[in-house]
């Protein structure tokens, strides 16, 4: 398969056009079959009505004009090829048929030549002789006897189970067959109607109606549909192709712009947004939102690298200077200063490594431990703090997560409090509903309300005049908030009762409890 054919096969426009064409084709074929069947049924119904009318016309003539079976030969029948007629008795004997009828099928009687009836009086001779003998040997009672015979004849001919003279049945049965009339063969629809002639004999009239018009109409309709179907499918496919091309034109614009952005790495560019409010417009808006987030992330990463390089440059330069001086003048080597710079460099490298792991989406472990015990343990190891830390810890409050990362958060909060406190630092652990709260408060100057979110950004220090040695690199609070988010918790800052800053780390309780009644306060 060539590249062009592969692109066409994988094109959404091509698949949409082919799918729409296939659906329309199935619908048109089903509709065409329904139309042909309906047309065939309607024309068959018309033929039935025509055959029934012809049969009843002949039956009416038989009921009113035929005195006995010998008179069928003179009965007028339709002489057109459209309505061939057969008249048979109940035994299937053909009494009469249309002129020039050469072949017939479908009526149950294939004969086309009537059987001649016996001459009048041939079957009644014995009865006539007996009747004459009775009349010659009787007196005035002969008339009465003849009248009795007449009455007896009436009784025998007009019983309740016998059809009435001249009666035409209301029921019509239909069959399909063929006939050849005057050398012209065709298909016919036959109607069969029973009628009782004036002699009391029940006969069946078969009258046909030609199905030539039905066949012609059905064939014409079928051919028209077969010829028109490909043309209509081409129109549907072409229209679908054009409509989908117009609909997907904005998508192609989005694709081209995304390709240009990828090639230029310029994340400030945006894809065009259509004026409509359809799926394509929403796709464009979502794409631009993604580009905005990606641009912000790249810019944040760029600032992070620049700030990290700047922060690393100072301790490395200081350490190098001290080592060079110590190499040239050993008596001037500041070993404590070199150690301090090395420790600061180590802490900064650890902070950067932890931030890199958090940015990579590293999830903490789900070990369960008591947060109060962790706080007591970490505070007990801080022997060099400027201000002693006061503890207010509730026992038995467990959380799930990384013990090391939460210990790092506690250390960062305590370090921040030690830098800004005047005389007191307090660490509290209590429960609030379904959460465990770790609060660190100091009596310093606090954090201005306008800056309470900014301090959690990376490399942010509110006091720009503060020395880096005293103020740190500005990563501690950023790390603390990221760790809190990874533990499904929050870290916020407010005003402490002593007037300083109050940092609150809220984590879900490990037992999942969540009741308002189960709430302690830090002062309880």
């Amino acid at each position: 398969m060539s590249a062009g054919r592969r692109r066409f096969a994988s094109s959404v426009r091509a698949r949409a056009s082919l799918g729409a064409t296939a659906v329309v084709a199935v619908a048109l074929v089903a509709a065409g079959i329904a139309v042909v069947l309906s047309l065939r049924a309607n024309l068959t119904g018309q033929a039935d009505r025509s055959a029934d009318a012809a049969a009843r016309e002949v039956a009416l003539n038989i009921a009113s004009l035929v005195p006995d079976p010998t008179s069928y030969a003179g009965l007028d029948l339709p002489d057109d090829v459209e309505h061939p007629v057969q008249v048979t008795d109940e035994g299937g004997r053909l009494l009469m048929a249309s002129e020039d009828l050469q072949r017939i099928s479908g009526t149950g009687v294939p004969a086309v030549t009537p059987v001649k009836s016996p001459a009048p009086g041939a079957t009644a001779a014995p009865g006539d002789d007996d009747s004459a003998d009775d009349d010659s040997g009787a007196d005035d009672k002969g008339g009465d006897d003849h009248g009795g015979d007449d009455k007896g004849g009436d009784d025998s001919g007009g019983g309740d189970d016998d059809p009435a003279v001249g009666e035409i049945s209301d029921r019509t049965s239909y069959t399909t067959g063929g006939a050849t009339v005057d050398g012209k063969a065709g298909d016919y629809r036959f109607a069969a109607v029973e009628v009782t002639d004036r002699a009391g004999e029940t006969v069946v009239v078969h009258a046909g109606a030609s199905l030539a018009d039905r066949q012609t109409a059905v064939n014409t309709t079928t051919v028209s549909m077969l010829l028109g179907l490909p043309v209509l499918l081409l129109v549907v496919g072409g229209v679908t192709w054009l409509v989908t091309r117009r609909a997907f034109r904005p998508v192609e614009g989005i694709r081209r712009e995304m390709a240009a952005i990828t090639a230029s790495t310029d994340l400030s560019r945006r894809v065009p947004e259509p004026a409509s409010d359809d799926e394509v417009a929403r796709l464009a808006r979502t794409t631009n939102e993604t580009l905005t987030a990606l641009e912000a992330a790249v810019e944040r990463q760029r600032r992070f690298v620049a700030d990290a390089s700047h922060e690393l440059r100072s301790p490395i330069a200081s350490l190098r200077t001290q080592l060079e001086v110590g190499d040239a003048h050993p008596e001037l080597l500041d070993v404590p200063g070199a150690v301090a710079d090395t420790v600061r460099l180590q802490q900064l490298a650890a902070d950067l490594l932890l931030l890199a792991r958090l940015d990579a989406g590293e999830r903490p472990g789900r070990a369960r431990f008591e947060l109060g015990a962790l706080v007591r343990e970490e505070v007990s190891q801080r022997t060099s703090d400027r201000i002693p830390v006061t503890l207010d810890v509730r026992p038995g409050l467990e959380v799930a997560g990384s013990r090391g990362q939460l210990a790092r958060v506690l250390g960062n909060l305590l370090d921040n409090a030690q830098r800004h406190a005047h005389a007191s630092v307090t660490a509290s652990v209590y429960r609030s509903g379904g959460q465990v709260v770790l609060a660190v408060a100091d009596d310093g100057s606090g954090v201005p309300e306008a800056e309470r979110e900014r301090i959690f950004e990376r490399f942010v220090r509110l006091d720009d005049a503060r020395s880096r040695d005293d103020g740190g690199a500005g990563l501690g609070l950023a790390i603390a908030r990221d760790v809190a988010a990874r533990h499904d918790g929050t870290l916020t800052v407010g005003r402490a009762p002593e007037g300083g800053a109050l940092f609150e780390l809220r984590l879900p309780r490990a037992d999942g409890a969540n009741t308002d009644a189960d709430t302690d306060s830090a002062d309880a």
Side-chain angles (χ1 to χ4, degrees), residues 27-48:
L28 288 178
V29 170
I33 293 175
V35 169
V36 170
L37 293 178
S38 177
L39 178 63
R40 181 185 179 91
N42 289 335
L43 293 177
T44 301
Q46 292 181 8
D48 288 345

Side-chain angles (χ1 to χ4, degrees), residues 17 27 31 75 81 160 167 170 203 219 300 373 382 461 495 517 519 521 524:
S17 300
L75 186 66
V81 298
D160 294 337
E167 180 182 3
D170 293 334
V203 297
N219 291 339
R300 181 182 178 185
R382 299 176 65 91
R461 290 179 296 273
R495 185 173 183 83
T519 302
S521 65

Side-chain angles (χ1 to χ4, degrees), residues 219-258:
N219 291 339
T220 302
T221 303
T222 303
V223 172
S224 300
M225 289 183 176
L226 291 177
L227 294 178
L229 180 62
V231 177
L232 186 57
L233 292 181
L234 287 176
V235 172
V236 171
V239 171
T240 305
W241 177 268
L242 295 176
V243 171
T244 52
R245 182 178 68 178
R246 181 180 180 86
F248 283 107
R249 187 176 299 162
V251 177
E252 179 61 22
I254 294 173
R255 187 202 64 79
R256 286 196 299 267
E257 187 63 23
M258 288 297 294

Side-chain angles (χ1 to χ4, degrees), residues 38 144 363 372 402:
S38 177
D144 295 337
R363 301 296 298 179
S402 170

